[in-house]
Amino acid sequence: MSKSVLGSLIAEKHGLTKGEADKIVETMLEGIKSALVSQGQITFVGFGRFHVEERAARQGRNPSTGETVQVAASKVVRFKAGEPLKAAVNQK
């Protein structure tokens, strides 16, 4: 599902214009990004938790040349699904 499709779904379900719904989606995504930058995590009860983890520097390998390269340390965003989401996805 893309941002556009999500905006269309919100617009249809709540009687909004596509533009209004797109602004809501964009505001929500900006809020998630802001919380991850400032607090390192955001939790949606019943859905899951986004959190930032540190990835250590490591040795990598260029697949085309086989040359060893140094991969710098970085931060990555992880997602851990909540139990209701897991149950919904695994429902048959």
Side-chain angles (χ1 to χ4, degrees):
M1 177 180 281
S2 65
K3 283 194 318 185
S4 178
V5 172
L6 182 59
S8 296
L9 179 68
I10 291 170
E12 181 181 314
K13 186 147 180 117
H14 295 285
L16 302 170
T17 67
K18 177 82 168 77
E20 291 170 332
D22 286 344
K23 285 181 184 177
I24 290 169
V25 170
E26 197 59 44
T27 301
M28 184 185 80
L29 295 175
E30 284 296 321
I32 292 170
K33 182 173 31 172
S34 174
L36 289 172
V37 169
S38 65
Q39 300 167 9
Q41 73 174 17
I42 185 166
T43 302
F44 295 104
V45 176
F47 184 74
R49 178 175 72 109
F50 292 92
H51 60 282
V52 177
E53 288 183 358
E54 297 282 337
R55 182 181 284 172
R58 63 193 189 283
Q59 290 287 326
R61 187 170 303 278
N62 181 331
S64 57
T65 64
E67 178 185 354
T68 302
V69 294
Q70 183 66 24
V71 179
S74 63
K75 293 181 182 180
V76 294
V77 177
R78 303 277 190 212
F79 176 75
K80 180 163 173 53
E83 289 303 319
L85 178 59
K86 287 180 190 177
V89 170
N90 289 305
Q91 204 172 49
K92 300 210 175 181

